Amino acid sequence: MTPPSPTGSPMQRVWQRVADWQPDRHSIWTRLAVALVITLLAAWMRVALAPAESGGRFITLSLAAALSALYGGFRVGMFSTVLGMLVINFVLVKPYFSFAFEDPVEAFWLNLWHLVTQFVVVGAIALMQRQNRHLREATALIQQGKQQLEDTFEQGATGMTHSHLNGEWIRINQTYCDMIGYTKAEMLKMHFRDFTHPDDLELDLAHFHRALNDEVPHYAFEKRYIHKLGHFVWAYLTISLVRKPSGEADYVIAVVQDITALKHAEQALRTSGQLLRQAHELAGLASWQADVATRRFTTLSGSHEILGLPQADFSDEELLALTHPDDRPGVMRQWALAVQGKGVYDIEYRLMFGGEWRWFTVRAEFERDAHGRAVRALGVTRDVTERKRSEVEIQRLNTSLEHRIQERTQALKAAYDELESYSYAVAHDLRSPLRIINGFAQALQEDHPALDANSLAHLQRIMAASKKMGELIDGLLTLSQFARGELQRKPVNLSAIATRLLEEFAGTEPQRQVGWQVEPGLHAMADPALVEALMQNLLHNAWKYTARTPDAHIRVYAQESGGLTRFCVSDNGAGFDMARAAKLFQPFQRLHMPHEFGGLGIGLATSLRIVQRHSGDLQASAAPGQGATFCFSLAARTTA
């Protein structure tokens, strides 16, 4: 460890360096070399400064050994001692420059005493250096620990404070200041009461007095601080009271953890739980989990109360005992398949709760381990007893309704058949008198050619009226014909039908100049015969009502409207007033005078019947003198 830099006077710094010197900083050979130089230099000085016969021959070499020990340690110091002894005995002991001794005993004891003395001195120096090194290491460890404690206090993720018993601060870390929003200088001028929520202050002081009275060694609780910006900060506060050796309270240590996010999460969790419970109540659901190994079923969030279940925890045996006997095999089979991963658990069955059998629908999903084995099931149970009762009632009503519909259908069919027979009978019975009237009128005209003009006019009116009556009867039969029979939908080319009909109209009236435009590729799935009659009526109307229009034009086209194809027949003929359009599709109702345009008023009524039989609609738009447009669809509009 690096010793601290020496301070003080130069002499103090020198002694400090000597005290802090560490021999093992250099290699052993470097230290031995330095000891060799110091010892030889000391020996030279001893020889040069005093004669050999003078006393104190070991003093100078003792100093060299001490310096060598200080520099190089115990082994180097002993090396200098032995080397010094050799030099002294060789140079300063008679006979000089030899290792022969006049008094060997004296020389032995003198050298032994010097060796023991130097061993003690060098050992003491080495021991001092060792103790000094240990002291330096301990001091460094203390400094390091102190710094770590300082770092822990200042850089900790939680707020920490030391305060006197009266609440005055001793020290505050930055985290605590950041939590409350004040600077450290501002905090040191404040008391903790200044930013403690008023509702929490009394509880805080009560806990503190309990600790002060030695009732508890420390305490912890949640409290609210008022941030500098005004919002609340939730904190988990831990207070410890530090006492003197005498037992008297000394100061307070507080550790403060910001739990605002945790509180928000708890509130969100409570809100979520409340919403989940409300959702369960509104939906009539109970959520549960099951341990596949132990076969225990436990409802969650108290949702068993929603369904009126007797308890929150069931074993599979208890549930099977409550299950209707007819449903048990299915329940056990479906559960086994779901646990094995061979099917889903989605089943309806009956359970006995509250003294009655109630229907429940149960669904579950399984959590599996790395080997695919089912570990836990999460599911929902819903009471569908009322729905089941409604289904039974609906089924009963449907059966009754079907029976009544069959009865009504049979009665309606009988009435329809009777009406059809009546219509044919009336038509046949009406035709016969009309033929007689028309025949006798013609006979009168032929047998009495000399009748006056008025009489002939009367006969012609009779024949015209009978003819008109016959046409009306035919129209009624035609209208009733299109309202019965089975609809046969097949691909129909409307473009080809329109072109053929317009060519036929042009062939019957070659004197007329009518232009027409038929959009190619108009196709539909419809009854061919009925579509033929529909196009016949609409095109005949267009041809008829353009008779007095110069440069007459008829157009057949299609348009898309809301995903539905509509086919249109448009002309630039006489048109009509839309204020009278309510009568347009009623049988025998006409919007023009008979002398203007012929007809019975049955064509558009027939067209509407045909379109309605195809589940479509027929719409008209027109203006007097500007023509008319009839658009129809042959299928009902579908919604996604």
Side-chain angles (χ1 to χ4, degrees):
M1 295 184 181
T2 303
S5 299
T7 57
S9 65
M11 184 58 66
Q12 289 176 333
R13 288 197 294 271
V14 170
W15 283 112
Q16 184 67 42
R17 285 183 175 276
V18 172
D20 293 338
W21 177 256
Q22 300 181 35
D24 55 359
R25 285 184 176 180
H26 301 287
S27 67
I28 186 64
W29 298 111
T30 301
R31 286 179 280 160
L32 291 174
V34 171
L36 176 64
V37 172
I38 292 174
T39 304
L40 294 178
L41 181 61
W44 174 79
M45 291 178 62
R46 172 65 181 84
V47 173
L49 295 177
E53 290 79 4
S54 64
R57 66 174 72 115
F58 289 107
I59 294 175
T60 305
L61 276 302
S62 297
L63 179 61
L67 291 176
S68 298
L70 285 173
Y71 177 79
F74 177 76
R75 289 179 295 174
V76 175
M78 292 307 298
F79 167 76
S80 175
T81 298
V82 173
L83 180 63
M85 290 172 63
L86 293 174
V87 171
I88 290 171
N89 286 300
F90 183 74
V91 176
L92 299 180
V93 176
K94 293 180 181 180
Y96 303 125
F97 304 107
S98 71
F99 286 109
F101 301 101
E102 293 180 352
D103 187 354
V105 175
E106 179 187 7
F108 171 77
W109 286 109
L110 188 62
N111 280 278
L112 178 61
W113 178 253
H114 175 70
L115 180 63
V116 172
T117 303
Q118 288 300 99
F119 181 84
V120 172
V121 171
V122 170
I125 292 173
L127 182 60
M128 178 197 66
Q129 287 180 327
R130 181 181 179 184
Q131 293 295 334
N132 192 40
R133 183 173 66 252
H134 289 170
L135 180 61
R136 287 196 307 271
E137 291 175 352
T139 303
L141 287 174
I142 292 172
Q143 291 294 334
Q144 182 182 7
K146 181 180 179 182
Q147 185 61 43
Q148 289 174 345
L149 288 175
E150 290 284 344
D151 294 341
T152 301
F153 185 87
E154 290 295 337
Q155 306 299 327
T158 57
M160 298 183 68
T161 69
H162 293 169
S163 63
H164 295 294
L165 300 180
N166 61 3
E168 294 181 358
W169 305 113
I170 300 173
R171 59 194 307 189
I172 307 173
N173 73 349
Q174 189 61 42
T175 304
Y176 187 71
C177 298
D178 295 340
M179 187 186 307
I180 312 301
Y182 294 94
T183 63
K184 187 173 290 188
E186 292 173 331
M187 291 284 290
L188 290 174
K189 297 177 182 178
M190 300 174 70
H191 195 278
F192 78 91
R193 295 187 181 90
D194 298 334
F195 45 81
T196 296
H197 194 284
D199 295 343
D200 298 338
L201 182 58
E202 184 177 351
L203 178 63
D204 195 350
L205 293 176
H207 281 307
F208 178 73
H209 284 105
R210 288 181 63 213
L212 198 60
N213 294 332
D214 207 12
E215 297 178 20
V216 291
H218 52 77
Y219 61 92
F221 70 107
E222 295 177 357
K223 66 176 289 187
R224 288 164 291 180
Y225 289 115
I226 301 175
H227 194 273
K228 183 179 181 180
L229 299 179
H231 60 269
F232 296 150
V233 177
W234 274 99
Y236 186 76
L237 179 65
T238 303
I239 298 292
S240 297
L241 209 60
V242 179
R243 297 183 178 274
K244 299 177 181 178
S246 62
E248 182 184 359
D250 190 3
Y251 64 95
V252 179
I253 298 176
V255 178
V256 188
Q257 183 178 2
D258 188 346
I259 59 171
T260 304
L262 179 61
K263 279 293 184 178
H264 290 166
E266 289 178 354
Q267 181 60 39
L269 185 61
R270 284 194 296 269
T271 302
S272 177
Q274 182 65 25
L275 291 175
L276 181 60
R277 183 173 180 82
Q278 291 176 354
H280 279 170
E281 292 178 354
L282 292 174
L285 293 175
S287 55
W288 51 269
Q289 65 178 358
D291 190 317
V292 176
T294 61
R295 300 181 180 180
R296 299 294 300 183
F297 294 78
T298 306
T299 59
L300 305 176
S301 302
S303 57
H304 65 284
E305 299 175 356
I306 297 171
L307 299 182
L309 305 182
Q311 60 200 57
D313 187 78
F314 295 89
S315 67
D316 59 344
E317 294 179 352
E318 291 172 332
L319 282 177
L320 285 175
L322 295 172
T323 303
H324 195 284
D326 296 342
D327 298 336
R328 288 175 192 166
V331 172
M332 296 173 66
R333 181 175 60 256
Q334 195 70 21
W335 179 263
L337 290 174
V339 169
Q340 297 171 13
K342 298 179 180 179
V344 296
Y345 193 71
D346 188 353
I347 190 171
E348 287 184 356
Y349 60 94
R350 288 161 289 181
L351 292 169
M352 174 62 74
F353 287 142
E356 63 173 338
W357 291 109
R358 302 189 64 84
W359 278 94
F360 294 89
T361 178
V362 185
R363 299 185 62 183
E365 293 185 356
F366 288 83
E367 293 181 357
R368 301 182 182 276
D369 59 17
H371 303 289
R373 292 188 295 266
V375 177
R376 186 173 67 145
L378 295 172
V380 292
T381 299
R382 184 176 183 181
D383 189 338
V384 293
T385 304
E386 295 303 321
R387 192 199 74 191
K388 278 292 187 179
R389 291 172 179 171
S390 299
E391 288 177 356
V392 171
E393 181 64 18
I394 291 172
Q395 186 175 4
R396 186 187 66 79
L397 292 175
N398 285 341
T399 302
S400 174
L401 183 61
E402 287 176 2
H403 180 67
R404 282 183 289 175
I405 288 174
Q406 288 178 357
E407 291 180 348
R408 296 284 179 87
T409 302
Q410 291 175 358
L412 185 61
K413 186 176 183 302
Y416 184 80
D417 292 341
E418 183 179 353
L419 179 61
E420 187 174 7
S421 300
Y422 176 75
S423 299
Y424 274 102
V426 169
H428 181 270
D429 292 343
L430 288 177
R431 277 200 181 97
S432 181
L434 287 176
R435 283 195 299 269
I436 293 174
I437 292 170
N438 191 50
F440 277 108
Q442 289 181 354
L444 285 173
Q445 184 177 1
E446 292 173 358
D447 293 344
H448 302 279
L451 289 174
D452 56 64
N454 288 335
S455 298
L456 288 174
H458 291 326
L459 288 174
Q460 289 175 355
R461 288 193 184 96
I462 291 171
M463 289 188 290
S466 63
K467 181 181 179 182
K468 183 72 171 178
M469 186 65 178
E471 291 176 351
L472 289 173
I473 292 171
D474 291 340
L476 282 174
L477 292 175
T478 300
L479 190 61
S480 64
Q481 177 185 1
F482 286 122
R484 67 179 185 269
E486 186 178 355
L487 190 70
Q488 301 289 335
R489 286 187 182 266
K490 297 179 181 179
V492 179
N493 189 336
L494 278 72
S495 299
I497 294 175
T499 302
R500 176 171 51 78
L501 290 174
L502 289 170
E503 289 176 348
E504 290 177 1
F505 296 155
T508 59
E509 296 185 60
Q511 74 279 5
R512 288 189 57 185
Q513 299 295 322
V514 180
W516 70 75
Q517 179 184 359
V518 179
E519 182 180 328
L522 301 180
H523 297 277
M525 290 294 295
D527 189 296
L530 295 182
V531 170
E532 176 84 19
L534 172 63
M535 296 301 294
Q536 169 76 26
N537 288 331
L538 295 180
L539 289 173
H540 182 268
N541 268 8
W543 187 272
K544 177 171 63 174
Y545 289 107
T546 56
R548 298 183 181 182
T549 303
D551 193 19
H553 187 79
I554 299 173
R555 182 184 172 209
V556 180
Y557 61 96
Q559 62 184 16
E560 294 291 330
S561 176
L564 188 66
T565 302
R566 306 181 68 84
F567 303 98
C568 300
V569 176
S570 177
D571 65 71
N572 62 344
F576 57 86
D577 187 356
M578 288 296 293
R580 304 173 58 197
K583 298 181 179 181
L584 194 62
F585 299 108
Q586 296 180 8
F588 308 114
Q589 295 290 329
R590 305 195 62 210
L591 303 184
H592 297 85
M593 298 302 293
H595 67 273
E596 293 179 324
F597 300 98
L600 299 173
I602 201 71
L604 289 179
T606 303
S607 300
L608 181 60
R609 295 282 181 90
I610 295 172
V611 170
Q612 288 176 340
R613 290 207 62 196
H614 285 82
S615 301
D617 64 344
L618 176 61
Q619 297 177 355
S621 60
Q626 298 181 20
T629 300
F630 292 86
C631 294
F632 62 90
S633 63
L634 295 174
R637 186 186 303 273
T638 59
T639 57

